[in-house]
Amino acid sequence: MNTETNPTLPERPKLNRLFRLQYEEAQKTHVLLYPEGMVKLNQSASEILLLCDGTRTVSDIVAALEAKFNASGLEADVRSMLQEATRRNWLEA
């Protein structure tokens, strides 16, 4: 397995300390700020990253999102987003 394209997810995902997640009123969305720039996030990515506080497991994050949005079957999408966030170093390993 290529870990560069399929990184191992942290057990309890936490935002990398080099990044800051904040709501930008001017853009009406959450953004991820880092020393070299900014990433504008869609609502799904924002909701997932807001739960990445280092205390919740991936299963906890999925359960919280499914409860918040009265949905089921979100695990694959959440894991996919978390893998991409890990690949981009947005999350601490």
Side-chain angles (χ1 to χ4, degrees):
M1 170 167 48
N2 182 343
T3 57
E4 197 169 299
T5 57
N6 293 310
T8 301
L9 291 179
E11 184 177 330
R12 296 180 185 276
K14 180 179 180 183
L15 200 60
N16 185 321
R17 67 179 184 270
L18 299 176
F19 294 85
R20 187 176 71 213
L21 180 63
Q22 73 180 39
Y23 186 78
E24 283 291 322
E25 184 62 38
Q27 302 208 29
K28 303 284 189 223
T29 191
H30 279 90
V31 296
L32 197 55
L33 301 172
Y34 58 102
E36 297 83 27
M38 176 182 80
V39 176
K40 185 176 176 181
L41 301 170
N42 65 26
Q43 183 182 1
S44 298
S46 299
E47 294 289 346
I48 293 167
L49 290 179
L50 285 167
L51 296 173
C52 293
D53 59 8
T55 65
R56 295 177 178 96
T57 65
V58 174
S59 295
D60 293 338
I61 292 169
V62 170
L65 292 167
E66 289 181 342
K68 181 175 184 174
F69 295 104
N70 194 26
S72 62
L74 299 180
E75 185 170 2
D77 290 333
V78 171
R79 284 186 174 277
S80 177
M81 191 288 174
L82 290 173
Q83 283 182 322
E84 181 62 17
T86 301
R87 187 185 70 76
R88 292 178 181 232
N89 294 316
W90 297 350
L91 299 176
E92 291 183 355

